[in-house]
Amino acid sequence: MANVVVVGTQWGDEGKGKIVDWLSERADVVVRFQGGHNAGHTLVIDGVTFKLSLLPSGVVREGKLSIIGNGVVVDPWALMEEIDAMRSQGIEVSPRNLHIADNAPLLLALHRNLDRTRETAAGNNRIGTTKRGIGPAYEDKVARRAIRIGDLDEPEVLPEKVDKLLFHHNALLRGFGMPEIDRDGLIAELSEIAPKILPFSGAVWKVIDDARRAGNRILFEGAQGTMLDIDHGTYPFVTSSNAVAGQAAVGCGQGPGAIDYVLGITKAYTTRVGGGPFPTELADETGRTIGERGREFGTVTGRPRRCGWFDAVLVRQAVKINGINGIALTKSDILDGMPELKVCTAYAIGGETIDYLPASSLRQTSVEPVYEVMEGWAESTQGARSWAELPALAVKYIRRIEELIEAPVALLSTSPEREDTILVHDPFAD
């Protein structure tokens, strides 16, 4: 029985929610290993829509254990709101089916305030964050001043840790000419949320290890996408954590041997939210059409996504960096009826042709896509559940993508409904 990691191969928003939900029916444990509540998953189950941000997708399935790992920054108030929302939709969320790492860092209101202040002050040079405080929370983690979930269970030392945190944050706020954080008020807020969040916390690395030894199938669920990874993405227009497959082990306390199969979620075209380079972006009617058809608006923010042609260079790079075994191709049905399609097969920079996205931010903004033009298909692929139902030209497009990215299609999604999925290879079978 294989343990599977699911990662995005582009700039996020590839449709991970539906694929993870589809896979979670086959899994026993679903683990969220990085990011925060800036990432959103939309699940459609029997016509009911569930919007998740922090909770692993397995929480909507009866009998599955969901785990939030230490690689996640946890806003406890946002998490409790999400739990309440799930309960209002008839989904049980309790310490019986949800565990949170006691060494996961907390995301506080002061992180959100700092995030918003920085983005506003940056003006046209802003990163384009969700302003949820993710970056500042990870900064505090790395600087060793974060308050972690387990700290809430030690009220005798919590004030000392708050003082250490505020020594840094209040200095920043003074520099911005903003009011300082009230120490006693923050301690009171943490003391109030503690009894609500602590019943879920524990040593999740041990829970996962026990599950592995028992032969349970584990699904490791990432957020964002490879090109938003803090090391391998389009820096500095990236998230503040590692979003690649290797983080799956680190983000929940397992060794590399815990990973058997890496599934890369890949959209049949390309989108991104916020600032940063985007070689195949279509700032024209075609781009707007793709965005409207694909309903390309952020689950968390509602912001419209930038849209463009499929970038095989970008995805092939993600395949190599993640060690991807196969991809789940999503939203190919959005391209139905388009007379011609373009696929980026290389980049050109000043007369030089390259087959990867360089790390240099200057070179990233200078690349020009080299396109291969393909004939589109007139027939609908929406809802197809077998290869035989797909138009020949759609199959040709998919096969060409496989060749260019050097990875096979393991799953093909043809609508938001989980049943509208063509299984080529079951990742859990490895």
Side-chain angles (χ1 to χ4, degrees), residues 38 107 109-122 126-137 139 169 176 240:
N38 57 332
L107 189 157
L110 57 83
H111 295 126
R112 292 193 300 273
N113 294 337
L114 180 57
D115 199 357
R116 285 194 294 265
T117 300
R118 283 177 173 169
E119 283 288 272
T120 301
R126 60 186 179 273
I127 299 297
T129 76
T130 59
K131 301 179 182 178
R132 297 295 177 98
I134 308 300
E139 288 175 39
H169 278 273
F176 280 112
S240 299

Side-chain angles (χ1 to χ4, degrees), residues 174-208:
R174 286 194 296 272
F176 280 112
M178 297 180 63
E180 296 184 17
I181 304 297
D182 176 58
R183 172 187 185 270
D184 293 339
L186 176 56
I187 293 172
E189 290 175 0
L190 293 171
S191 299
E192 182 182 7
I193 198 68
K196 299 177 182 178
I197 203 79
L198 283 174
F200 296 94
S201 73
V204 302
W205 63 267
K206 188 176 186 306
V207 174
I208 297 171

Side-chain angles (χ1 to χ4, degrees), residues 88-402:
S88 71
Q89 291 186 273
I91 302 297
E92 179 201 355
V93 183
S94 71
R96 184 185 68 83
N97 66 342
L98 174 66
H99 293 177
I100 307 172
D102 54 6
N103 57 338
L106 293 177
L107 189 157
L108 309 173
L110 57 83
H111 295 126
R112 292 193 300 273
N113 294 337
L114 180 57
D115 199 357
R116 285 194 294 265
T117 300
R118 283 177 173 169
E119 283 288 272
T120 301
N124 292 333
N125 294 319
R126 60 186 179 273
I127 299 297
T129 76
T130 59
K131 301 179 182 178
R132 297 295 177 98
I134 308 300
Y138 274 114
E139 288 175 39
D140 284 342
K141 173 185 177 178
V142 174
R144 294 165 293 186
R145 57 175 170 260
I147 295 172
R148 307 198 295 183
I149 285 181
D151 295 334
L152 298 179
D153 201 28
E154 299 176 342
E156 66 277 11
V157 297
L158 186 59
E160 179 184 342
K161 295 187 176 183
V162 167
D163 287 339
K164 184 178 180 180
L165 181 67
L166 293 187
F167 179 79
H168 171 79
H169 278 273
N170 281 336
L172 286 177
L173 291 173
R174 286 194 296 272
F176 280 112
M178 297 180 63
E180 296 184 17
I181 304 297
D182 176 58
R183 172 187 185 270
D184 293 339
L186 176 56
I187 293 172
E189 290 175 0
L190 293 171
S191 299
E192 182 182 7
I193 198 68
K196 299 177 182 178
I197 203 79
L198 283 174
F200 296 94
S201 73
V204 302
W205 63 267
K206 188 176 186 306
V207 174
I208 297 171
D209 184 65
D210 290 343
R212 286 180 57 212
R213 292 176 182 276
N216 293 159
R217 292 177 175 179
I218 304 171
L219 182 63
F220 298 93
E221 172 188 6
Q224 286 93 31
T226 300
M227 291 303 144
L228 290 175
D229 182 272
I230 186 67
D231 289 309
H232 301 288
T234 48
Y235 191 91
F237 298 94
V238 292
T239 192
S240 299
S241 63
N242 288 111
V244 293
Q247 177 64 19
V250 178
C252 61
Q254 301 298 295
I259 301 170
D260 299 302
Y261 190 99
V262 180
L263 180 68
I265 314 302
T266 306
K267 195 178 286 184
Y269 49 95
T270 312
T271 63
R272 84 169 295 175
V273 173
F278 187 168
T280 65
E281 183 173 12
L282 295 169
D284 58 12
E285 187 59 34
T286 301
R288 287 188 289 274
T289 297
I290 292 174
E292 290 170 3
R293 287 184 180 183
R295 299 178 182 177
E296 296 296 349
F297 299 92
T299 299
V300 171
T301 65
R303 290 184 295 180
R305 299 175 185 136
R306 300 155 65 190
C307 298
W309 294 120
F310 186 83
D311 191 334
V313 179
L314 206 71
V315 176
R316 183 172 59 245
Q317 189 163 326
V319 167
K320 307 298 185 184
I321 290 170
N322 288 285
I324 286 172
N325 301 102
I327 68 165
L329 190 65
T330 66
K331 290 199 165 185
S332 57
D333 55 300
I334 304 304
L335 303 178
D336 291 352
M338 300 191 73
E340 72 172 24
L341 305 170
K342 293 182 180 180
V343 176
C344 176
T345 59
Y347 296 142
I349 304 180
E352 175 191 6
T353 300
I354 60 174
D355 61 356
Y356 67 98
L357 185 66
S360 163
S361 57
L362 179 61
R363 285 169 65 82
Q364 285 178 359
T365 56
S366 301
V367 300
E368 294 290 337
V370 177
Y371 285 120
E372 178 179 312
V373 180
M374 300 186 66
E375 184 179 356
W377 54 91
E379 306 91 330
S380 172
T381 62
Q382 186 172 15
R385 299 184 182 181
S386 71
W387 284 106
E389 297 177 53
L390 297 174
L393 289 171
V395 174
K396 183 179 179 181
Y397 180 77
I398 295 166
R399 294 304 185 205
R400 184 57 177 147
I401 284 176
E402 289 181 313

Side-chain angles (χ1 to χ4, degrees), residues 32-44:
R32 172 77 183 278
F33 61 82
Q34 53 81 219
H37 68 307
N38 57 332
H41 288 338
T42 300
L43 311 181
V44 181

